[in-house]
Amino acid sequence: MTPAQLRAYVAVVRLGSVKQAAAHLSVSESAVSLHIGQLRKEFGDKLFSRTVAGLAFTPGGLRLASRAAELLGLQDRTVLEVSAAGRGRRLLRVAASSLFAELAAPGLIELFAKRASDLDVELSVRDPGSFETLLLTRAADIAIGPQPSVVNPAITCRPAMNYRLVIVVGPDHPLAGVPASAAQLRSQTWLLGPSASTDLGAVQAMLRRLAVPDDRQQIFQSHAAALGEAKRGKGVAPALSFTVAPDVRTGQLLLVAGPHTTLETVWHSLVLAAGTPSAAAELSRFASTPRAIQAMMRGAGVRVGHFRPSVHVTLWS
């Protein structure tokens, strides 16, 4: 599987024909067909077939289209990064849990990036269960999120920020202003962000503590989207106390009272104990300072010149 083969395949997928792909790539149709034939042989998959309505892709063909676009994007970005490194720029790769990445990372990155004009930061959302592997394989320089249940001796784990998880509802919800029992909470529709799909983290810990059934859980593409549904009275939503404080003050959201409605926990930063890039070690120390914590709670954005999100491509069919 070569970049030339993948570029030919992606062009066919995007343009819908070998002829148009060849014209776009400025090569012959036979060259594109050869690349496609080599991919079919390597994968043992037809990938696609021609129909009256156009190209019909196999499940494997759709999967390859997604991965090929991602791999080519990574290749192009790597060329730029190597060139930038040659000019003296550094790259810090941060892996983060979805809750931290969406609600706290922007403020932290904005403040930290100001400290070094030669530093670019790449933030990618990862399952906290993969943090150890990402660090050990050097796929990430630092990981920030929930503390692993077991910390590898090769990794240094440092507390970064204490936070409180609360449960909120819209002003018209039946639990608004009413102390809720565990049984009442269990029976509600839970509006959740993507952090609920992982095994580690505060949201999953709260769901397990209350034994919320899977059929009462609705997961949205972001935590902000889940809170939007909660404002409309569609269910209950776990949220970071500092992020919903403005909506609670204005009455758009109400805190659910009761002994089971809060959870105190901590985000941790993880880096390799030896051989950690200097920028990663500095960020690990900086993340627990008062200035950094204030920035995370403010959630300021970051200038595009300092931030390069990791490439992720998904095809929906």
Side-chain angles (χ1 to χ4, degrees), residues 74-93:
L74 289 171
Q75 181 191 33
D76 293 340
R77 195 183 69 198
T78 299
V79 172
L80 295 175
E81 289 175 355
V82 171
S83 176
R87 299 193 303 272
R89 295 199 64 81
R90 296 177 295 156
L91 175 65
L92 177 63
R93 298 163 302 168

Side-chain angles (χ1 to χ4, degrees), residues 203-240:
V203 172
Q204 192 58 245
M206 178 175 279
L207 294 172
R208 283 196 299 265
R209 187 177 71 179
L210 291 168
V212 178
D214 290 346
D215 62 2
R216 305 304 300 173
Q217 302 177 32
Q218 295 183 9
I219 299 180
F220 293 81
Q221 72 274 19
S222 69
H223 300 90
L227 287 175
E229 289 297 286
K231 289 178 182 179
R232 289 185 279 274
K234 302 296 185 180
V236 304
L240 301 183

Side-chain angles (χ1 to χ4, degrees), residues 5-190:
Q5 293 169 359
L6 295 179
R7 290 191 188 280
Y9 184 71
V10 168
V12 171
V13 172
R14 185 164 60 86
L15 299 173
S17 76
V18 170
K19 181 177 181 179
Q20 292 184 60
H24 174 74
L25 297 172
S26 300
V27 298
S28 65
E29 291 183 42
S30 60
V32 173
S33 296
L34 177 62
H35 288 319
I36 299 301
Q38 290 169 331
L39 288 173
R40 284 170 166 164
K41 182 178 179 180
E42 179 174 350
F43 289 106
D45 190 308
K46 192 175 182 180
L47 302 180
F48 64 84
S49 59
R50 293 178 177 84
T51 68
V52 175
L55 299 182
F57 290 88
T58 67
L62 288 174
R63 182 64 58 87
L64 177 60
S66 174
R67 291 303 185 196
E70 184 175 350
L71 288 169
L72 291 172
L74 289 171
Q75 181 191 33
D76 293 340
R77 195 183 69 198
T78 299
V79 172
L80 295 175
E81 289 175 355
V82 171
S83 176
R87 299 193 303 272
R89 295 199 64 81
R90 296 177 295 156
L91 175 65
L92 177 63
R93 298 163 302 168
V94 181
S97 64
S98 61
L99 193 66
F100 180 85
E102 181 179 342
L103 302 173
L108 175 64
I109 290 174
E110 193 274 338
L111 185 61
F112 184 73
K114 285 181 179 178
R115 298 158 61 94
S117 59
D118 66 334
L119 182 67
D120 294 321
V121 180
E122 175 190 281
L123 175 67
S124 59
V125 178
R126 303 288 187 146
D127 184 335
S130 70
F131 282 175
E132 177 181 320
T133 300
L134 292 169
L135 293 171
L136 293 177
T137 59
R138 307 303 199 275
D141 301 312
I142 181 172
I144 307 179
Q147 182 180 19
S149 53
V150 178
V151 180
N152 189 309
I155 294 174
T156 298
C157 183
R158 180 194 298 265
M161 178 180 173
N162 299 322
Y163 66 96
R164 175 183 295 173
L165 195 70
V166 297
I167 299 176
V168 295
V169 294
D172 298 325
H173 191 275
L175 292 184
V178 178
S181 67
Q184 286 176 307
L185 292 170
R186 243 189 322 271
S187 66
Q188 302 302 312
T189 296
W190 283 69

